[in-house]
Amino acid sequence: MKQKARFENKVVIVTGAAQGIGEGVATAIAAEGGKVILADRNLLVRDVAKRINDNNGQAHAVLADLETWEGALGVANSTLEIYGKIDISIHNVGGTIWAKPYQEYTPDEIMAEVNRSLFPSLWSCRAVLPTMISQQSGVIVNISSIATRSIHRIPYAASKGGVNAMTMSLAMEHADNNIRINAIATGGTEAPPRQIPRNPQPLSEQEKIWYQAIIDQTVSSSLMKRYGTIQEQINAILFLASDEASYITGTILPVGGGDMGMG
């Protein structure tokens, strides 16, 4: 049976597409007929685009620092220059840099976490909305986390709580423009080691203990008592991005084996 091409002729931005969930989402959308803009500040994103094109997909890589307004706007403008429209925008940039009790974070580390996990979604939504309003159509999927209720990553949790609030409020604000805006709250996810780690410094023995506590709490909080797979996250993201979710907006969908996180 031929796979259903849910994204045939759709122009789709995927941020954080150089590795992990973002790479998987971009590859899967291209396999279902989507024209994909892969945005990342990591040069590896060019390799992902090449693999997609070599497999008869349509992909363009755009290098951008999505922690900045200029970076997010550049991605939106590049998409319009190449394809003339933006149907779907999936905002995947973010991730815990440090894992430790809140009182152990320095002020600079707190700012770095917020810049990493809140602002890329804020800027990216702001960059694509004018086009979607003009089109009177569009879909945004923000990638959040069940870590809004967790330990040893408070700045990250606060950032993802902000993503959730933004998602729900924007959905209310732009439903009249025929724009659907949702988020996936990812749970613990098994993934290969990042080729470019968020924190390049080796962990101290104490930091290893703090990080293990996150893993233990995540598994304990999941009703299914396990981490999910990257594919399980991709499946949920593709559903919300597709027309199959045409009557869903303003929703934070937890994909954490029963751990609901917090809004």
Side-chain angles (χ1 to χ4, degrees), residues 96-102 104-105 109 113 151-155 199 203-204 206-215:
T96 306
I97 305 171
W98 296 279
K100 53 188 173 181
Y102 188 47
E104 301 293 333
Y105 281 85
E109 288 171 344
E113 293 277 10
I151 63 171
H152 294 178
R153 43 186 173 168
I154 302 304
N199 178 10
L203 299 181
S204 68
Q206 179 59 72
E207 287 170 331
K208 290 177 183 177
I209 292 170
W210 285 332
Y211 189 79
Q212 185 61 46
I214 290 179
I215 295 173

Side-chain angles (χ1 to χ4, degrees), residues 148-165:
T148 48
R149 183 176 181 270
S150 64
I151 63 171
H152 294 178
R153 43 186 173 168
I154 302 304
Y156 174 71
S159 299
K160 291 305 188 181
V163 170
N164 290 350

Side-chain angles (χ1 to χ4, degrees), residues 21 186-192 218 226-233 255:
I21 291 173
T186 59
T189 304
E190 294 177 353
T218 300
R226 68 171 175 86
Y227 268 39
T229 66
I230 285 181
Q231 190 60 51
E232 286 172 322
Q233 302 298 338
V255 187

Side-chain angles (χ1 to χ4, degrees), residues 44-246:
L44 292 171
V45 73
R46 292 175 173 169
D47 297 333
V48 179
K50 183 178 186 302
R51 285 197 297 273
I52 290 172
N53 289 324
D54 287 347
N55 283 285
N56 300 315
Q58 296 186 64
H60 290 265
V62 178
L63 290 175
D65 181 358
L66 292 160
E67 293 183 12
T68 69
W69 163 242
E70 293 77 14
L73 182 62
V75 171
N77 287 342
S78 293
T79 305
L80 293 174
E81 289 169 8
I82 295 168
Y83 289 123
K85 64 174 183 171
I86 301 171
D87 294 307
I88 302 166
S89 197
I90 299 170
H91 305 146
N92 179 62
V93 174
T96 306
I97 305 171
W98 296 279
K100 53 188 173 181
Y102 188 47
Q103 68 272 15
E104 301 293 333
Y105 281 85
T106 68
D108 286 346
E109 288 171 344
I110 293 169
M111 287 302 303
E113 293 277 10
V114 174
N115 285 336
R116 174 70 180 171
S117 291
L118 174 59
F119 275 99
S121 292
L122 276 173
W123 295 139
S124 294
C125 285
R126 175 62 182 82
V128 300
L129 271 170
T131 296
M132 291 183 175
I133 292 167
S134 177
Q135 295 170 172
Q136 287 293 287
S137 66
V139 176
I140 293 173
V141 181
N142 294 317
I143 310 306
S144 182
S145 174
I146 60 166
T148 48
R149 183 176 181 270
S150 64
I151 63 171
H152 294 178
R153 43 186 173 168
I154 302 304
Y156 174 71
S159 299
K160 291 305 188 181
V163 170
N164 290 350
M166 172 185 62
T167 297
M168 293 183 285
S169 296
L170 281 176
M172 291 183 69
E173 195 167 280
H174 293 291
D176 288 347
N177 299 120
N178 195 33
I179 302 170
R180 293 193 303 105
I181 304 169
N182 295 293
I184 292 288
T186 59
T189 304
E190 294 177 353
R194 293 178 61 85
Q195 297 181 65
I196 305 294
R198 296 188 185 103
N199 178 10
Q201 302 301 318
L203 299 181
S204 68
E205 290 307 309
Q206 179 59 72
E207 287 170 331
K208 290 177 183 177
I209 292 170
W210 285 332
Y211 189 79
Q212 185 61 46
I214 290 179
I215 295 173
D216 295 343
Q217 178 259 300
T218 300
V219 173
S220 176
S221 296
S222 166
L223 299 183
M224 298 176 76
K225 303 304 179 192
R226 68 171 175 86
Y227 268 39
T229 66
I230 285 181
Q231 190 60 51
E232 286 172 322
Q233 302 298 338
I234 292 170
N235 292 343
I237 294 166
L238 296 188
F239 167 66
L240 282 186
S242 76
D243 290 342
E244 292 177 353
S246 59

Side-chain angles (χ1 to χ4, degrees), residues 240-260:
L240 282 186
S242 76
D243 290 342
E244 292 177 353
S246 59
Y247 195 48
I248 301 174
T249 195
T251 296
I252 313 300
L253 176 61
V255 187
D259 186 342
M260 304 300 288

